[in-house]
């Protein structure tokens, strides 16, 4: 084995780690405009020398700022920078030996330790040499000043040598020999709506209308109500022409009866595909009016993008090569043997013609972006190649950084997390099935208090058109209140499939954990202005969210001790705003217990007397010290949303 | 912003993570011959297709083995391989879509679900096409068999299509389109002694001798004793000529008195430097005899490598450029202002002539390797550049993979961990100052039960010539027994600076946490065969370690509940061997408590009656169930080392 040559370049400074990062920098971290990135770098140097470090920040490829990194403890150097714009930030750590700082520190100790004049004078000459090096980097008056200081050193000016001024100048113009640089880490800076939003889903064809099938103009009449209820995002299931071949009937019946409207996810017929609006919804012009009306109300419209076709979609004839074929030449429908889904064809992302297919699918997003849509709920992204999403989202975002993509992937964690890493801003979660205190708490801790929070931003949904859980069915109205309050307070981003939820429709399909008389397959009528429904609760909770910044963040959740396993309690704090949420998870019985507050963390004296205001129920409670009593009757109100009044 | 082109290559399979790894593969993991590496890869694929994965292992650059990876749960694929030789293993994960496996799985469900004959026949044609692809990869009889199977498919042979044979063959010759590969991860495979060893340190000049200054031949007479006490490694402080200029006297007195032998760390005088042996120790020939004698006894000799010189070292005159100079041209001595260490000069690793310096320093190791040394204790590596050590150790190890380097870096954790990552096999630790139950337990959990164990292998020392802790001073003999038992049982690698320890020398220097009459500066005489010393305890503990494999590992430590904070209890298990260690940490008072055993983990019925044998004290105890009583009088024996007798 030949001898290893000495390294061509080496540095005394070594980087051990940079936080935050996702998979060592393979994926960006996520932040929202208004937030801050605090970067911590582990940096070491041999011996007792000092080192200097700085953070270089760029925005969209141009320098943004340079921030000196400050030693905290245990060789950790810290710097922060604000996220001010939507787009792509990068950060990189640079570090080098602080030769002058090291010299001055030792020189000070020599002076204080009483070294001889000879030694002091001699050491000043070493310091002078460093100043000459620095002067070589400087220009103008700084250079002149460094040269003057060098002369002062030569003349034995101890005071100048110990000055803050010389330290600052010498550091500023340090030649930075042997500087090292970390990898470049990326931040995806997103709109605030990616973290703080309330989504409302409904089927526009069920809007009040003179016709059996409502149009988007009818649906637009509901927008003021949705806005008044406090929602930010109006999410519509697919609005495209619906196939007729093999159309499914009520509750997924294999054969539709005359008049059955079909599932909006069976996309496309002779009247168009993914870039068309169902004529019965009023066509593209009605959609444009819908978006316009929403915009005027400050609501954003989210569209469902489902990459699959009905057998009648124009693509089938125009691009048969985009679909998998059976050996007999017919186009494969979706199936999970022995189940067959004969009303739907999946695309073949591995088709020999895949580049054209991918471009066309991307152009579907572009079509709707051109019609004012900036939020997309993507149907089953985990059944399409990850490489497609990464390319598609990256390209769209490069021109439209404000876009928000919600991944509807109810699947295993690694896939859900990978979709979030590669570009989806929001993700559906297991919240929907986490019912007990320990389930909710451990899941929230995973999402909000581990590194998962750097890349995965949940959107909590208590129900969807596909999911009506047993908990909601058996717990009735109290269960609905419980799940709504949990979704809207644990996560700052949440959504609800509104109409059946607000009317506590707990009529479950006999075989599946979903709604009977499912709106996916039929048009239903709802009371959109019902004071006995959950609408007033939704209005109140959304208002509390808007008025209390603590509820507009995710990572600030902290669970509280309470001596009753049926009661979940947590608090969230943002600056002065402190919200305590206490929820009785038992929809049937009154539960009570003693809650323990971390008085120190809340900056309260251990024996403080204070008032908490239940923003949900309206009451004021006088509490004393750390332990206080709570009692919640689910048939009255199963939750407190308490604001600490200071 | 121009549109992003579609990716040139992409795969449906994605790798989320590979474990184990150190910093994402930047540094190798460490294993010892006889151990196994279990690799876990997170692998996902869109949709419901199956994927195949295998682990490719190489040893020293040549293929070692290929191991199929098996799906465990949650998208984790697992494979293991054994470490059979000292050197450099690498492992890499490969994964691809299992197209035939996916086809067969669906086909089986079609058959079981009662698909029509037409559909079955049609699907068989798709399977046939896959077999033809596989046949294209195969040769000889496998190719013929695949072609025959393809014909069987064509003829509608359902049984052949569902066979294990066709699955195995088709998988074996899968064209692996779109296969992905992980980064290459490295394993540093080390000798067993890097994990399991007992080190004994002593100053050879203090060996029994007719002269005031013993030789290595005198010291060699102690080797049978050291071997008989059960130690594996004999570690000698520096054995080189000692400088006379500014020589330190007793207990670091600034001026030596006539006859003071000087500190062995003040290396070099006119008689030679780092490649010479102090003439009073008998020169290099005596050293060679010492090594020979040790070898014959199965003992390894460890040398101290301290890269610094006395003012009299030949390098000072021969290579003044290897040292830092003051502006007046004199060579700088070591200092930490205002403290000065005028008997020692550090090397200038940044000298303009650094490549020659580095080569020379490396050649010092080579010199001693040529004289039979394979273990080096490196003095203060954290005050020399990390890049030097990385280069030096990597080069030495490339020709001598059996070498073991112990880093004497008592400094901050990031530096200690980085030295371990870049190549040191063993490290001194904070064990020396961790005295309480919670300190010991949390430190052991950090070292043995986190990813730290992948790269950092501790060597626990209760004392060194530089360290006599307050705990040992105030706790006297019981404290010595406690610390010895803890070092030797918590860590499978440990060491002791023997002579003062075995005689419970707790005479501390008035100003420093080190021995008074420190052997670093003077020759002392010891009773090497003293039945009243701790020698019998050492002998017994080392024998217990040799006879019980559980104590030869580190990562198997598991702490036990006991209701007394003064008692530390843990167990270690290896195959059938189970050792329970119970230590009273209070050197002054008898402590007792109820210990709780995890009966399930120990594969014992909850109400089992069993016997534990105290290998240290000799007693047998009959225990029953999970909770049992222990009581330890430190003045008799402060510890149990219990073997569970099954």
């Amino acid at each position: 084995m030949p001898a290893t040559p000495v390294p061509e370049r080496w540095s005394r400074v070594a980087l051990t780690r940079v936080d935050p990062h996702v998979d060592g920098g393979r994926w960006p971290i996520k932040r929202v405009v208004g937030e801050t990135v605090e970067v911590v770098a582990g940096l070491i140097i041999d011996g007792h020398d000092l080192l200097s470090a700085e953070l270089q920040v760029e925005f969209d490829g141009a320098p943004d700022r340079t921030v000196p990194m400050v030693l905290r403890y245990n060789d950790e150097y810290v710097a922060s920078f604000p996220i001010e714009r939507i787009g792509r930030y990068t950060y990189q750590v640079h570090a080098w030996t602080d030769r002058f700082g090291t010299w001055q520190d030792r020189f000070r100790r020599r002076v204080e330790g009483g070294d001889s004049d000879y030694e002091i004078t001699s050491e000043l000459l070493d310091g002078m040499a460093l100043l000459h090096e620095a002067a070589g980097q400087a220009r103008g008056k700084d250079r002149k000043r460094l040269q003057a200081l060098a002369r002062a050193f030569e003349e034995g000016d101890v005071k100048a040598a110990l000055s803050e001024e010389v330290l600052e100048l010498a550091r500023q113009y340090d030649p930075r020999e042997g500087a090292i640089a970390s990898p470049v880490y990326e931040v995806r800076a997103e709109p605030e709506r990616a973290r703080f939003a309330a989504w409302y889903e409904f089927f526009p064809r069920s809007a009040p209308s003179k016709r059996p099938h409502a149009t988007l103009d009818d649906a637009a009449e509901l927008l003021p109500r949705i806005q008044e209820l406090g929602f930010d995002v109006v999410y519509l299931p697919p609005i495209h022409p619906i196939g007729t071949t093999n159309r499914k009937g009520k509750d997924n019946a294999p054969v539709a009866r005359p008049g059955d409207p079909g599932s909006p996810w069976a996309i496309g017929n002779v009247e168009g595909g993914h870039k068309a609006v169902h004529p019965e919804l009023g066509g593209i012009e009605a959609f444009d009016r819908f978006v316009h009306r929403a915009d005027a109300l400050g609501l954003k419209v989210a569209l469902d993008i489902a990459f699959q076709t009905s057998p009648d979609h124009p693509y089938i004839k125009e691009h048969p090569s985009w679909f998998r074929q059976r050996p007999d030449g017919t186009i494969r429908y979706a199936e999970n043997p022995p189940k067959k889904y004969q009303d739907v064809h999946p695309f073949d992302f591995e088709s020999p013609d895949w580049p054209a297919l991918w471009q066309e699918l991307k152009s579907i997003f572009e079509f709707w972006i051109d019609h004012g849509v900036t939020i997309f709920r993507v149907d089953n992204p985990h059944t399409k190649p990850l490489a497609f999403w990464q390319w598609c989202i990256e390209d769209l975002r490069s021109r439209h950084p404000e876009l928000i993509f919600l991944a509807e992937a109810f699947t295993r964690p690694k896939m859900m997390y990978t979709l979030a890493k590669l570009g989806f801003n929001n993700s559906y979660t297991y919240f929907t099935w986490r019912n007990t205190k320990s389930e909710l708490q451990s899941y929230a801790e995973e999402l909000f208090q581990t590194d998962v929070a750097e890349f995965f931003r949940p959107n909590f949904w208590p129900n969807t058109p596909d999911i009506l859980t047993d908990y909601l069915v058996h717990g009735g109205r109290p269960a609905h209140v419980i799940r709504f309050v949990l979704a809207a307070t644990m996560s700052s981003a949440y959504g609800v499939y509104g109409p059946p939820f607000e009317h506590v429709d707990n009529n479950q399909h006999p075989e599946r954990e979903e709604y009977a008389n499912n709106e996916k397959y039929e048009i239903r009528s709802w009371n959109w202005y019902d004071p006995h429904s959950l609408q007033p609760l939704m209005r109140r909770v959304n208002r509390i969210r808007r008025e209390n910044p603590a509820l507009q963040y995710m990572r600030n959740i902290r669970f509280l001790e309470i001596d009753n396993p049926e009661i979940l309690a947590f608090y969230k704090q943002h600056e002065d705003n402190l919200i305590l949420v206490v929820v009785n998870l038992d929809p049937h019985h009154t539960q009570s217990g003693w809650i323990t507050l971390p008085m120190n963390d809340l900056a309260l004296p251990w024996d403080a007397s204070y008032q908490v205001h239940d923003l949900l129920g309206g009451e004021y409670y006088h509490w004393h010290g750390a332990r206080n009593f709570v009692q919640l009757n689910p048939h009255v109100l199963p939750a407190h949303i308490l604001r600490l009044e200071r």
Side-chain angles (χ1 to χ4, degrees), chain A:
Chain A
M1 188 75 76
T4 315
V6 295
E8 281 185 37
R9 272 177 313 173
W10 58 278
S11 174
R12 292 180 54 204
V13 179
L15 176 76
T16 63
R17 189 186 165 102
V18 175
D19 285 296
H21 67 91
V22 177
D23 296 351
R26 183 173 160 201
W27 306 106
I29 64 163
K30 290 178 182 165
R31 286 293 185 279
V32 155
V33 170
E35 294 180 350
T36 290
V37 180
E38 185 187 75
V39 178
V40 181
L43 289 164
I44 55 176
I45 184 168
D46 59 276
H48 306 286
D49 283 11
L50 305 181
L51 63 83
S52 292
E54 71 181 24
L55 191 68
Q56 293 182 7
V57 183
E58 297 194 350
F59 178 76
D60 280 354
D64 179 70
R65 71 189 69 214
T66 297
V67 191
M69 301 193 80
V70 177
L71 177 60
R72 189 164 63 178
Y73 52 75
N74 192 15
D75 297 316
E76 289 180 0
Y77 293 76
V78 184
S80 297
F81 63 95
I83 298 297
E84 296 170 336
R85 287 170 287 180
I86 296 169
R88 182 177 173 273
Y89 285 84
T90 59
Y91 53 96
Q92 187 179 34
V93 174
H94 294 253
W96 59 94
T97 310
D98 177 13
R99 291 174 67 204
F100 190 84
T102 302
W103 178 88
Q104 194 191 53
D105 171 61
R106 287 193 192 152
F107 184 74
R108 174 168 291 112
R109 288 189 274 136
R110 289 182 202 282
V111 172
E112 289 168 359
D115 266 16
S116 70
D117 283 354
Y118 174 80
E119 285 168 316
I120 294 294
T121 311
S122 166
E123 293 303 332
L124 276 171
L125 295 179
D126 263 10
M128 181 192 74
L130 293 173
L131 290 190
H132 281 306
E133 285 181 29
Q137 307 289 314
R139 292 286 170 272
K141 74 172 178 27
D142 286 349
R143 181 188 184 114
K144 289 213 175 86
R145 184 65 191 140
L146 279 163
Q147 288 166 336
L149 284 162
R151 281 192 300 276
F153 276 40
E154 199 168 7
E155 290 156 11
D157 185 342
V158 170
K159 203 175 149 199
L162 293 178
S163 70
E164 193 60 31
E165 181 207 2
V166 71
L167 180 64
E168 269 181 32
L169 268 178
R171 279 183 170 165
Q172 186 180 346
Y173 295 102
D174 191 311
R176 302 189 180 184
E177 273 171 38
I180 59 164
S182 76
V184 174
Y185 298 90
E186 185 178 339
V187 188
R188 187 175 294 140
E190 305 179 347
E192 193 193 21
R193 201 170 286 110
R195 188 196 68 224
F196 174 51
W199 292 44
Y200 187 89
E201 176 177 8
F202 76 105
F203 286 79
R205 66 189 182 187
S206 294
S209 169
K210 290 170 201 151
R211 291 162 296 271
H213 190 299
T215 66
L216 285 164
D217 290 311
D218 299 322
E221 296 300 323
L222 294 173
L223 290 171
R225 185 197 80 109
I226 293 170
Q227 189 245 13
E228 193 270 330
L229 288 179
F231 291 95
D232 312 294
V233 176
V234 176
Y235 152 44
L236 305 179
I239 52 173
H240 315 298
I242 295 173
T244 51
T245 304
N246 299 328
R247 174 177 287 188
K248 293 293 170 70
K250 271 197 170 192
D251 277 334
N252 208 22
V255 180
R257 293 172 314 181
D260 280 347
S263 160
W265 283 271
I267 296 171
N269 66 24
V270 288
E271 296 170 302
H274 286 76
K275 297 177 183 172
V277 173
H278 196 316
E280 290 198 69
L281 282 172
I284 190 73
E285 296 77 14
F287 181 76
D288 289 341
R289 289 189 293 272
F290 184 88
V291 171
H292 188 74
R293 185 86 179 264
D295 273 349
L297 292 163
L299 290 171
K300 291 284 169 188
V301 175
L303 270 199
D304 193 314
I305 298 294
F307 282 147
Q308 58 192 28
T309 74
S310 91
D312 310 314
H313 197 294
Y315 288 154
I316 300 269
K317 280 191 181 142
E318 291 165 17
H319 300 285
S321 71
W322 290 354
F323 300 88
R324 247 186 213 113
Q325 283 156 47
R326 299 157 87 196
D328 66 4
T330 57
I331 287 178
R332 282 189 182 277
Y333 37 76
E335 53 182 339
N336 183 17
K339 289 188 194 163
K340 303 174 197 305
Y341 307 99
Q342 284 154 321
D343 61 335
V344 167
H345 295 291
F347 290 107
D348 179 9
F349 283 81
E350 294 180 292
S351 151
D353 195 24
W354 66 267
L357 168 66
W358 289 28
Q359 295 286 5
E360 173 63 19
L361 295 179
K362 177 160 71 74
S363 77
I364 293 170
F365 286 104
E366 285 162 340
F367 178 88
W368 294 106
I369 293 167
D370 289 345
H371 284 272
V373 180
T374 55
I375 307 185
F376 297 98
R377 177 269 198 194
V378 175
D379 192 73
N380 283 326
H382 58 295
T383 62
K384 288 93 190 171
L386 295 160
F388 168 76
W389 294 119
Q390 190 176 351
W391 164 77
C392 178
I393 295 178
E394 185 179 316
D395 179 65
L396 295 172
R397 184 170 278 139
S398 71
R399 270 162 287 117
H400 308 282
E402 72 283 5
L403 295 181
I404 291 178
F405 298 89
L406 165 63
E408 191 248 1
F410 286 111
T411 181
R412 293 189 298 276
K414 286 186 179 55
M415 174 58 82
M416 293 174 66
Y417 285 165
T418 301
L419 289 164
K421 288 173 183 177
L422 65 78
F424 284 90
N425 310 67
N426 274 197
S427 305
Y428 283 75
T429 68
Y430 306 143
F431 164 76
T432 312
W433 298 279
R434 296 288 182 269
N435 297 317
T436 67
K437 180 173 173 170
S438 67
E439 285 169 358
L440 287 162
Q441 194 161 328
S442 68
Y443 190 49
E445 282 166 353
E446 174 181 332
L447 295 186
F448 301 128
Q449 269 146 40
T450 70
D451 285 349
V452 167
E454 295 293 353
F455 62 83
F456 185 87
R457 209 177 272 116
N459 199 317
F460 276 10
W461 289 67
N463 73 328
T464 77
D466 296 325
I467 308 167
L468 170 64
T469 63
D470 293 343
Y471 182 88
L472 289 176
V473 171
H474 299 134
R477 185 180 177 109
H480 282 65
V481 177
I482 290 164
R483 298 299 296 176
F484 186 82
V485 169
L486 289 173
T489 57
M490 292 180 75
S491 175
S492 47
Y494 83 103
V496 64
Y497 163 39
F501 194 88
E502 59 209 58
H503 295 100
V504 189
D505 173 357
N506 55 355
N507 190 12
Q508 201 182 37
H509 189 282
E511 288 156 30
R512 292 187 294 275
E513 204 181 30
E514 67 175 42
Y515 289 97
N517 305 312
N518 198 305
E519 222 176 342
K520 287 189 288 186
Y521 309 105
E522 64 188 275
I523 294 171
R524 294 187 60 179
S525 70
W526 306 101
N527 182 349
W528 303 92
Y529 305 91
D530 179 357
H532 303 296
S533 74
L534 297 185
Q535 289 157 12
L537 173 85
M538 292 175 166
R539 183 182 297 114
R540 178 162 291 216
V541 170
N542 281 331
R543 183 169 163 183
I544 295 169
R545 284 165 46 93
R546 280 180 195 250
E547 292 177 352
N548 290 279
L551 294 175
Q552 298 168 15
Y553 292 83
M554 296 180 176
R555 299 179 73 165
N556 58 343
I557 194 167
R558 297 290 178 276
F559 291 95
L560 294 168
E561 267 185 61
I562 182 162
D563 58 356
N564 182 333
E566 296 289 343
I567 305 183
L568 181 77
F570 59 88
Y571 76 95
K572 286 182 160 187
Q573 183 159 20
H574 183 77
E575 295 169 0
D576 277 352
N577 184 233
L578 193 141
I579 297 291
L580 300 159
V581 179
V582 188
V583 182
N584 175 4
L585 302 174
D586 173 358
H588 305 294
H589 308 101
T590 296
Q591 296 285 349
S592 60
W594 289 86
I595 193 171
T596 305
L597 300 192
M599 303 297 275
N600 262 338
D601 297 352
L602 307 184
L604 288 173
W606 66 272
D607 61 347
S609 288
Y610 50 99
Q611 191 170 255
V612 292
H613 177 198
D614 188 350
L615 305 173
L616 202 57
E619 295 84 355
Y620 287 84
Y621 300 96
H622 289 87
W623 281 11
H624 184 82
R627 273 169 65 85
N628 289 280
F629 183 75
V630 291
Q631 179 165 309
L632 290 159
N633 178 345
H635 302 291
V636 180
L637 199 50
H640 290 313
I641 303 181
L642 303 164
R643 184 166 60 206
L644 179 72
E645 308 286 338
R646 280 192 266 218

